Amino acid sequence: MSLTRTYELSITTQGPPYPPSEIMDAGGDFVVIGMINREGAGGAVERSWGAAIVSPKSELPPFGEQVPYAIVRELDDALPEADREMVLYTLPLPLPCTNYPMVFAPEQRPDAGTLVRPSYPLHQAPIPDLRPEDGPKVTEPVTLGQWVRARGELRVTLAPDRRSADFAMEFAGMIPNSLYTVMSLRAHDLDPAGPTRPGPLGVPNVFVADADGRARYHATMPNPFPDPGREGANRIVNVVVLWMSYQQNYGGAIGWFGLGGDIHAQLKLQQPAFHEFVTTD
């Protein structure tokens, strides 16, 4: 019998800890739903899942280290009406408050870090080559209240021969008529000693939410969970669902600019997972 586990994905706006979020508000502050860095006892950094508005002037530590965020204000779980109506924006380029040493599309955009662009409302991101007569489908502002309606369930099933695993997802409450992609986060992607480049969960890694915000996605991944004791093992430890503000896919890359420039994490697992699975090549 194949081993199967089901996971509920959590709303987020965050990839790695820096930049603190992949979404901004109209004032240029980060809208963070994810792991919040706060100052704890004795000056230690305490990290816990929550929601807050965070200043882009937050202290930026070396990659792999953590310092407290400069929190402008906490966000209430219930989200009062003013916060629900908050219009969401992309991050400007170059990305603020980032220490992630990664070019996400080295063949397509090796110069990604040199571009300068402002922050755009999500619905007005500069889709390449778009003309008004082409019929863009996302034309109304995307609000925080709309963003947090997303729901996702992930079912992982190990193949009988343990050489692969199926990832099946069902979604509701997504941004309607929008392009999404799914990425895999692997154990060494955030390794300060030598981070690996995050990649798609399957190629193509695309789905489009329908007019009601519903969608499904499926991928079969070869040897996604090698024995952690094996030298060089780089297991999938999380799955992240990305809203694509440029409404396009990038083949073997997860995005051109990454981390809020053109990809925006909306659902993921709160903690690394899949420890119960082991696959082989």
Side-chain angles (χ1 to χ4, degrees), residues 81-102:
E81 188 64 24
D83 285 337
R84 298 189 70 82
E85 294 178 354
M86 182 190 305
V87 176
L88 304 182
Y89 284 67
T90 71
L91 272 57
L93 301 177
L95 299 172
C97 202
T98 183
N99 57 16
Y100 198 35
M102 186 61 61

Side-chain angles (χ1 to χ4, degrees), residues 35-58:
M35 298 298 289
I36 309 291
N37 288 3
R38 298 183 175 87
E39 185 171 355
V45 178
E46 294 183 352
R47 306 190 70 226
S48 60
W49 194 270
I53 303 298
V54 170
S55 171
K57 297 180 180 179
S58 296

